[in-house]
Amino acid sequence: MAARVLRARGAGWAGGLLRRAAPCSLLPRLRTWTSSSNRSREDSWLKSLFVRKVDPRKDAHSNLLAKKETSNLYKLQFHNVKPECLEAYNKICQEVLPKIHEDKHYPCTLVGTWNTWYGEQDQAVHLWRYEGGYPALTEVMNKLRGNKEFLEFRKARSDMLLSRKNQLLLEFSFWNEPVPRSGPNIYELRSYQLRPGTMIEWGNYWARAIRFRQDGNEAVGGFFSQIGQLYMVHHLWAYRDLQTREDIRNAAWHKHGWEELVYYTVPLIQEMESRIMIPLKTSPLQ
């Protein structure tokens, strides 16, 4: 009898021990699940660093950022000239380009024409405006094909060039309209290659940033590319001289908010370039 009681108690004690021990058998699976859950959260967090969340938009950035009141299209030309030909190149440009600019039959305007002073040497830069957008550009190109003087100019010019490049641009809605100004001035063309998909962000930040750079009337024009090298932004500035440029740029850092806008726009840039340019005598921007 006593033996049976002891065996029953022993069995009950053993059963209780097994019941208490049973949850421990789940620990390996719990550890596996917990580890897997942590890895999933870590993977999700890491992915969030590299995957940008973009608000869906129902319009092209060109329509969102460009001036609505105008339909102007701009062409920016870069001509790399043989060093020994730069003087002759400037001479024929000053003879021919103003005639196209002044002819009322051509819906285009020569905004400015320069030589690069600091930056890529022996380089000419021309900025044209086409009043009426792409139809105006097509009209001008068609008319120039029948302009004997222009065809002779192009032939003579081709013998002086090492390379040439152009871009078609729109102007940012929040920038000044580039209009003729008296001189003497030097001009800075700051060109930014943005990361694809960041044009809207750039425009949103610079719509606020431009107010910090208006005190000296140095802001001439701001443009973004449509054809040619894409996601390119060009800011055109005018200064009396290099020291004035330095003083104005340094003064911006003392204005509350400028440093924050620079902080947020710098990561959007892949490459950037600055040209200091001198206007030709016939340039509307002096």
Side-chain angles (χ1 to χ4, degrees):
M1 180 68 178
R4 286 199 299 270
V5 170
L6 286 173
R7 283 198 298 271
R9 288 177 178 174
W13 175 82
L17 179 62
L18 287 173
R19 282 193 297 273
R20 287 193 297 272
C24 294
S25 67
L26 297 176
L27 286 176
R29 279 179 284 175
L30 285 170
R31 290 194 189 100
T32 301
W33 180 84
T34 303
S35 176
S36 175
S37 177
N38 287 338
R39 279 197 301 271
S40 296
R41 285 197 296 271
E42 289 172 1
D43 290 345
S44 176
W45 179 79
L46 286 170
K47 287 179 182 177
S48 72
L49 293 178
F50 300 102
V51 178
R52 299 178 66 251
K53 295 181 180 180
V54 181
D55 293 332
R57 301 188 182 277
K58 298 181 180 180
D59 207 348
H61 67 246
S62 58
N63 293 332
L64 295 170
L65 295 173
K67 279 186 169 65
K68 296 291 192 298
E69 62 273 17
T70 64
S71 56
N72 292 332
L73 181 71
Y74 290 81
K75 179 167 68 176
L76 185 60
Q77 298 175 300
F78 299 100
H79 290 173
N80 291 320
V81 185
K82 296 175 183 177
E84 67 275 14
C85 296
L86 186 59
E87 186 176 347
Y89 172 91
N90 287 339
K91 185 175 184 295
I92 63 171
C93 284
Q94 292 181 113
E95 290 173 353
V96 176
L97 299 186
K99 294 179 182 178
I100 299 170
H101 166 77
E102 294 163 3
D103 193 328
K104 301 303 181 184
H105 294 93
Y106 291 93
C108 64
T109 301
L110 182 63
V111 177
T113 178
W114 304 267
N115 285 157
T116 300
W117 183 23
Y118 288 102
E120 195 162 354
Q121 296 293 281
D122 304 306
Q123 185 181 70
V125 180
H126 309 291
L127 181 63
W128 291 87
R129 179 194 297 119
Y130 296 88
E131 295 90 359
Y134 292 107
L137 173 68
T138 302
E139 181 183 347
V140 171
M141 295 299 103
N142 288 337
K143 286 182 176 179
L144 288 177
R145 291 191 186 100
N147 185 322
K148 184 178 178 180
E149 184 179 16
F150 181 77
L151 295 177
E152 291 175 352
F153 158 75
R154 285 197 63 176
K155 184 178 179 180
R157 186 187 67 182
S158 65
D159 294 332
M160 303 177 185
L161 298 182
L162 294 170
S163 65
R164 58 196 182 106
K165 179 177 74 172
N166 61 24
Q167 294 176 337
L168 294 180
L169 315 168
L170 295 177
E171 57 185 328
F172 284 110
S173 60
F174 48 84
W175 267 79
N176 299 346
E177 183 81 16
V179 295
R181 65 172 64 196
S182 58
N185 292 296
I186 61 170
Y187 289 81
E188 181 177 19
L189 182 66
R190 295 180 69 87
S191 301
Y192 303 89
Q193 177 69 63
L194 302 186
R195 292 192 294 113
T198 61
M199 188 66 74
I200 294 292
E201 291 177 70
W202 180 273
N204 286 340
Y205 285 123
W206 263 97
R208 287 178 284 157
I210 191 64
R211 72 177 188 268
F212 294 105
R213 298 294 308 277
Q214 298 282 18
D215 293 347
N217 194 33
E218 71 268 20
V220 178
F223 313 92
F224 59 100
S225 63
Q226 287 292 282
I227 296 177
Q229 191 170 354
L230 299 178
Y231 284 96
M232 283 293 298
V233 168
H234 300 283
H235 292 173
L236 185 60
W237 309 90
Y239 304 102
R240 189 169 65 251
D241 50 40
L242 288 173
Q243 186 57 55
T244 303
R245 170 189 177 273
E246 182 75 1
D247 294 341
I248 290 175
R249 288 177 56 81
N250 286 340
W253 289 98
H254 298 287
K255 298 177 181 179
H256 179 69
W258 171 255
E259 73 286 349
E260 180 182 358
L261 292 166
V262 172
Y263 175 83
Y264 284 114
T265 53
V266 166
L268 309 180
I269 302 169
Q270 285 186 331
E271 294 180 15
M272 58 189 297
E273 183 178 5
S274 170
R275 290 176 177 85
I276 300 297
M277 309 183 301
I278 303 296
L280 299 186
K281 292 179 181 179
T282 53
S283 174
L285 286 171
Q286 283 296 308

mmCIF file of all heavy atoms in Angstrom, residues 232-254:
data_model
loop_
_atom_site.group_PDB
_atom_site.id
_atom_site.type_symbol
_atom_site.label_atom_id
_atom_site.label_comp_id
_atom_site.label_asym_id
_atom_site.label_seq_id
_atom_site.Cartn_x
_atom_site.Cartn_y
_atom_site.Cartn_z
ATOM 1 N N MET A 232 19.582 69.065 -65.226
ATOM 2 C CA MET A 232 20.565 70.141 -65.095
ATOM 3 C C MET A 232 19.853 71.421 -64.689
ATOM 4 O O MET A 232 18.797 71.749 -65.218
ATOM 5 C CB MET A 232 21.292 70.380 -66.412
ATOM 6 C CG MET A 232 22.366 69.364 -66.746
ATOM 7 S SD MET A 232 23.774 69.430 -65.619
ATOM 8 C CE MET A 232 24.392 71.089 -65.918
ATOM 9 N N VAL A 233 20.447 72.136 -63.742
ATOM 10 C CA VAL A 233 19.947 73.433 -63.295
ATOM 11 C C VAL A 233 21.053 74.457 -63.518
ATOM 12 O O VAL A 233 22.230 74.176 -63.246
ATOM 13 C CB VAL A 233 19.546 73.392 -61.812
ATOM 14 C CG1 VAL A 233 19.303 74.795 -61.280
ATOM 15 C CG2 VAL A 233 18.297 72.543 -61.613
ATOM 16 N N HIS A 234 20.686 75.639 -64.030
ATOM 17 C CA HIS A 234 21.648 76.724 -64.224
ATOM 18 C C HIS A 234 21.143 77.971 -63.504
ATOM 19 O O HIS A 234 20.004 78.402 -63.722
ATOM 20 C CB HIS A 234 21.824 77.044 -65.715
ATOM 21 C CG HIS A 234 22.324 75.894 -66.526
ATOM 22 N ND1 HIS A 234 23.639 75.496 -66.525
ATOM 23 C CD2 HIS A 234 21.668 75.049 -67.373
ATOM 24 C CE1 HIS A 234 23.784 74.465 -67.334
ATOM 25 N NE2 HIS A 234 22.611 74.169 -67.850
ATOM 26 N N HIS A 235 21.980 78.545 -62.649
ATOM 27 C CA HIS A 235 21.696 79.821 -61.992
ATOM 28 C C HIS A 235 22.666 80.860 -62.537
ATOM 29 O O HIS A 235 23.883 80.644 -62.528
ATOM 30 C CB HIS A 235 21.873 79.708 -60.468
ATOM 31 C CG HIS A 235 20.853 78.830 -59.799
ATOM 32 N ND1 HIS A 235 20.933 78.502 -58.464
ATOM 33 C CD2 HIS A 235 19.734 78.231 -60.274
ATOM 34 C CE1 HIS A 235 19.904 77.743 -58.145
ATOM 35 N NE2 HIS A 235 19.169 77.554 -59.229
ATOM 36 N N LEU A 236 22.134 81.972 -63.006
ATOM 37 C CA LEU A 236 22.955 83.037 -63.589
ATOM 38 C C LEU A 236 22.928 84.255 -62.667
ATOM 39 O O LEU A 236 21.854 84.763 -62.325
ATOM 40 C CB LEU A 236 22.420 83.402 -64.977
ATOM 41 C CG LEU A 236 23.214 84.424 -65.791
ATOM 42 C CD1 LEU A 236 24.633 83.931 -66.058
ATOM 43 C CD2 LEU A 236 22.489 84.730 -67.107
ATOM 44 N N TRP A 237 24.138 84.717 -62.270
ATOM 45 C CA TRP A 237 24.285 85.817 -61.334
ATOM 46 C C TRP A 237 25.150 86.907 -61.947
ATOM 47 O O TRP A 237 26.038 86.629 -62.758
ATOM 48 C CB TRP A 237 24.955 85.346 -60.038
ATOM 49 C CG TRP A 237 24.331 84.150 -59.406
ATOM 50 C CD1 TRP A 237 24.647 82.839 -59.623
ATOM 51 C CD2 TRP A 237 23.270 84.135 -58.431
ATOM 52 N NE1 TRP A 237 23.860 82.014 -58.850
ATOM 53 C CE2 TRP A 237 23.011 82.790 -58.111
ATOM 54 C CE3 TRP A 237 22.540 85.147 -57.799
ATOM 55 C CZ2 TRP A 237 22.039 82.414 -57.180
ATOM 56 C CZ3 TRP A 237 21.570 84.777 -56.883
ATOM 57 C CH2 TRP A 237 21.325 83.426 -56.574
ATOM 58 N N ALA A 238 24.920 88.146 -61.556
ATOM 59 C CA ALA A 238 25.734 89.280 -62.004
ATOM 60 C C ALA A 238 26.365 89.957 -60.795
ATOM 61 O O ALA A 238 25.692 90.193 -59.775
ATOM 62 C CB ALA A 238 24.882 90.288 -62.775
ATOM 63 N N TYR A 239 27.653 90.299 -60.912
ATOM 64 C CA TYR A 239 28.376 90.991 -59.846
ATOM 65 C C TYR A 239 29.245 92.084 -60.458
ATOM 66 O O TYR A 239 29.685 91.979 -61.608
ATOM 67 C CB TYR A 239 29.279 90.029 -59.071
ATOM 68 C CG TYR A 239 28.574 88.836 -58.480
ATOM 69 C CD1 TYR A 239 28.655 87.590 -59.093
ATOM 70 C CD2 TYR A 239 27.844 88.952 -57.305
ATOM 71 C CE1 TYR A 239 28.018 86.484 -58.557
ATOM 72 C CE2 TYR A 239 27.205 87.853 -56.749
ATOM 73 C CZ TYR A 239 27.290 86.614 -57.376
ATOM 74 O OH TYR A 239 26.651 85.525 -56.839
ATOM 75 N N ARG A 240 29.546 93.086 -59.662
ATOM 76 C CA ARG A 240 30.411 94.151 -60.147
ATOM 77 C C ARG A 240 31.836 93.642 -60.375
ATOM 78 O O ARG A 240 32.509 94.025 -61.334
ATOM 79 C CB ARG A 240 30.409 95.322 -59.170
ATOM 80 C CG ARG A 240 31.126 96.560 -59.711
ATOM 81 C CD ARG A 240 30.902 97.794 -58.862
ATOM 82 N NE ARG A 240 31.479 97.662 -57.532
ATOM 83 C CZ ARG A 240 30.779 97.517 -56.405
ATOM 84 N NH1 ARG A 240 29.452 97.518 -56.451
ATOM 85 N NH2 ARG A 240 31.375 97.400 -55.226
ATOM 86 N N ASP A 241 32.303 92.779 -59.466
ATOM 87 C CA ASP A 241 33.636 92.201 -59.597
ATOM 88 C C ASP A 241 33.710 90.974 -58.688
ATOM 89 O O ASP A 241 32.738 90.630 -57.994
ATOM 90 C CB ASP A 241 34.735 93.213 -59.252
ATOM 91 C CG ASP A 241 34.494 93.904 -57.919
ATOM 92 O OD1 ASP A 241 34.054 93.225 -56.968
ATOM 93 O OD2 ASP A 241 34.716 95.132 -57.832
ATOM 94 N N LEU A 242 34.863 90.316 -58.666
ATOM 95 C CA LEU A 242 35.010 89.086 -57.883
ATOM 96 C C LEU A 242 34.909 89.339 -56.384
ATOM 97 O O LEU A 242 34.361 88.514 -55.642
ATOM 98 C CB LEU A 242 36.342 88.412 -58.215
ATOM 99 C CG LEU A 242 36.429 87.742 -59.590
ATOM 100 C CD1 LEU A 242 37.846 87.255 -59.858
ATOM 101 C CD2 LEU A 242 35.441 86.577 -59.698
ATOM 102 N N GLN A 243 35.424 90.474 -55.923
ATOM 103 C CA GLN A 243 35.336 90.771 -54.498
ATOM 104 C C GLN A 243 33.889 91.015 -54.073
ATOM 105 O O GLN A 243 33.457 90.571 -52.992
ATOM 106 C CB GLN A 243 36.190 91.991 -54.144
ATOM 107 C CG GLN A 243 36.265 92.266 -52.643
ATOM 108 C CD GLN A 243 36.798 91.079 -51.850
ATOM 109 O OE1 GLN A 243 37.880 90.587 -52.141
ATOM 110 N NE2 GLN A 243 36.044 90.634 -50.851
ATOM 111 N N THR A 244 33.113 91.690 -54.922
ATOM 112 C CA THR A 244 31.687 91.894 -54.624
ATOM 113 C C THR A 244 30.969 90.554 -54.547
ATOM 114 O O THR A 244 30.120 90.333 -53.667
ATOM 115 C CB THR A 244 31.037 92.780 -55.697
ATOM 116 O OG1 THR A 244 31.730 94.026 -55.777
ATOM 117 C CG2 THR A 244 29.571 93.037 -55.386
ATOM 118 N N ARG A 245 31.306 89.678 -55.464
ATOM 119 C CA ARG A 245 30.741 88.315 -55.426
ATOM 120 C C ARG A 245 31.027 87.654 -54.093
ATOM 121 O O ARG A 245 30.125 87.082 -53.456
ATOM 122 C CB ARG A 245 31.314 87.488 -56.568
ATOM 123 C CG ARG A 245 30.991 85.995 -56.498
ATOM 124 C CD ARG A 245 31.768 85.211 -57.546
ATOM 125 N NE ARG A 245 31.512 83.782 -57.429
ATOM 126 C CZ ARG A 245 32.191 82.966 -56.633
ATOM 127 N NH1 ARG A 245 33.182 83.447 -55.866
ATOM 128 N NH2 ARG A 245 31.896 81.680 -56.575
ATOM 129 N N GLU A 246 32.284 87.720 -53.666
ATOM 130 C CA GLU A 246 32.679 87.102 -52.398
ATOM 131 C C GLU A 246 31.914 87.716 -51.230
ATOM 132 O O GLU A 246 31.414 86.999 -50.349
ATOM 133 C CB GLU A 246 34.191 87.278 -52.203
ATOM 134 C CG GLU A 246 34.753 86.650 -50.940
ATOM 135 C CD GLU A 246 34.872 85.140 -51.030
ATOM 136 O OE1 GLU A 246 34.524 84.560 -52.090
ATOM 137 O OE2 GLU A 246 35.283 84.533 -50.027
ATOM 138 N N ASP A 247 31.789 89.030 -51.200
ATOM 139 C CA ASP A 247 31.104 89.711 -50.097
ATOM 140 C C ASP A 247 29.624 89.331 -50.037
ATOM 141 O O ASP A 247 29.075 89.077 -48.954
ATOM 142 C CB ASP A 247 31.244 91.225 -50.250
ATOM 143 C CG ASP A 247 32.679 91.702 -50.100
ATOM 144 O OD1 ASP A 247 33.505 90.950 -49.538
ATOM 145 O OD2 ASP A 247 32.979 92.822 -50.569
ATOM 146 N N ILE A 248 28.968 89.291 -51.204
ATOM 147 C CA ILE A 248 27.535 88.972 -51.244
ATOM 148 C C ILE A 248 27.283 87.531 -50.813
ATOM 149 O O ILE A 248 26.353 87.245 -50.045
ATOM 150 C CB ILE A 248 26.971 89.236 -52.654
ATOM 151 C CG1 ILE A 248 26.927 90.743 -52.928
ATOM 152 C CG2 ILE A 248 25.584 88.624 -52.812
ATOM 153 C CD1 ILE A 248 26.506 91.109 -54.336
ATOM 154 N N ARG A 249 28.111 86.629 -51.289
ATOM 155 C CA ARG A 249 27.931 85.215 -50.935
ATOM 156 C C ARG A 249 28.185 84.988 -49.443
ATOM 157 O O ARG A 249 27.479 84.209 -48.796
ATOM 158 C CB ARG A 249 28.847 84.344 -51.790
ATOM 159 C CG ARG A 249 28.398 84.251 -53.245
ATOM 160 C CD ARG A 249 29.372 83.431 -54.088
ATOM 161 N NE ARG A 249 29.559 82.099 -53.538
ATOM 162 C CZ ARG A 249 28.717 81.079 -53.719
ATOM 163 N NH1 ARG A 249 27.623 81.257 -54.471
ATOM 164 N NH2 ARG A 249 28.955 79.901 -53.198
ATOM 165 N N ASN A 250 29.190 85.657 -48.890
ATOM 166 C CA ASN A 250 29.452 85.515 -47.450
ATOM 167 C C ASN A 250 28.324 86.104 -46.614
ATOM 168 O O ASN A 250 27.972 85.562 -45.550
ATOM 169 C CB ASN A 250 30.776 86.198 -47.088
ATOM 170 C CG ASN A 250 31.984 85.413 -47.562
ATOM 171 O OD1 ASN A 250 31.897 84.217 -47.828
ATOM 172 N ND2 ASN A 250 33.117 86.082 -47.687
ATOM 173 N N ALA A 251 27.737 87.209 -47.086
ATOM 174 C CA ALA A 251 26.656 87.855 -46.337
ATOM 175 C C ALA A 251 25.432 86.951 -46.220
ATOM 176 O O ALA A 251 24.684 87.027 -45.232
ATOM 177 C CB ALA A 251 26.277 89.175 -47.006
ATOM 178 N N ALA A 252 25.214 86.078 -47.214
ATOM 179 C CA ALA A 252 24.049 85.188 -47.182
ATOM 180 C C ALA A 252 24.095 84.253 -45.974
ATOM 181 O O ALA A 252 23.056 83.885 -45.420
ATOM 182 C CB ALA A 252 23.975 84.380 -48.483
ATOM 183 N N TRP A 253 25.300 83.881 -45.536
ATOM 184 C CA TRP A 253 25.432 82.955 -44.412
ATOM 185 C C TRP A 253 25.047 83.594 -43.081
ATOM 186 O O TRP A 253 24.858 82.888 -42.083
ATOM 187 C CB TRP A 253 26.860 82.408 -44.345
ATOM 188 C CG TRP A 253 27.146 81.454 -45.460
ATOM 189 C CD1 TRP A 253 27.777 81.715 -46.629
ATOM 190 C CD2 TRP A 253 26.776 80.070 -45.508
ATOM 191 N NE1 TRP A 253 27.829 80.584 -47.421
ATOM 192 C CE2 TRP A 253 27.222 79.556 -46.748
ATOM 193 C CE3 TRP A 253 26.113 79.211 -44.620
ATOM 194 C CZ2 TRP A 253 27.024 78.235 -47.113
ATOM 195 C CZ3 TRP A 253 25.921 77.881 -44.993
ATOM 196 C CH2 TRP A 253 26.374 77.414 -46.227
ATOM 197 N N HIS A 254 24.929 84.899 -43.048
ATOM 198 C CA HIS A 254 24.518 85.591 -41.824
ATOM 199 C C HIS A 254 23.000 85.798 -41.765
ATOM 200 O O HIS A 254 22.504 86.403 -40.807
ATOM 201 C CB HIS A 254 25.228 86.937 -41.712
ATOM 202 C CG HIS A 254 26.725 86.812 -41.622
ATOM 203 N ND1 HIS A 254 27.370 86.360 -40.488
ATOM 204 C CD2 HIS A 254 27.703 87.066 -42.540
ATOM 205 C CE1 HIS A 254 28.676 86.339 -40.699
ATOM 206 N NE2 HIS A 254 28.907 86.763 -41.929
#
